[in-house]
Amino acid sequence: LPSSLAPAPKVETVQEKKEEEAKKEAVVKAVVEHELGLDKFCPDCQWKNMPFTCQKRVDWMMGTYSITEEAAKESVIQGCHTRLRRGRVF
């Protein structure tokens, strides 16, 4: 094609590049959470028969054991009182 008919290259600003990268990261995070079952995490339900929520347990585990939020959620999901009561252990 003559240069006058060729499509002009798309020029992205730094802000557009950052926004596109953030979108990609969000997609990757969603896929990872789904693969690990973290999309089923319920932060407001009661953890086991304890007087605190699943989110409180995650926060405590992260602070006490210096583990990632994902690792803490994986562990907490297994002991979720609501899921155990409903027979839905993931």
Side-chain angles (χ1 to χ4, degrees):
L1 289 174
S3 62
S4 62
L5 297 176
K10 183 178 178 188
V11 178
E12 292 183 346
T13 65
V14 173
Q15 182 63 30
E16 288 173 329
K17 288 180 181 180
K18 285 181 181 180
E19 290 171 1
E20 186 64 29
E21 193 62 34
K23 287 179 187 177
K24 288 179 184 177
E25 288 178 17
V27 169
V28 169
K29 183 177 180 180
V31 169
V32 168
E33 286 183 354
H34 179 74
E35 291 293 319
L36 296 175
L38 300 181
D39 56 333
K40 297 174 178 74
F41 179 71
C42 50
D44 298 322
C45 67
Q46 181 182 9
W47 187 73
K48 292 192 176 183
N49 286 321
M50 304 302 285
F52 48 83
T53 65
C54 289
Q55 185 62 53
K56 287 287 186 186
R57 177 69 178 173
V58 166
D59 295 341
W60 179 83
M61 291 180 74
M62 289 170 55
T64 302
Y65 301 119
S66 298
I67 60 175
T68 65
E69 183 176 13
E70 290 80 12
K73 283 181 178 181
E74 275 186 275
S75 176
V76 168
I77 285 172
Q78 299 304 315
C80 175
H81 180 264
T82 302
R83 296 189 193 296
L84 291 173
R85 188 177 60 220
R86 292 182 186 160
R88 299 185 320 187
V89 178
F90 301 101

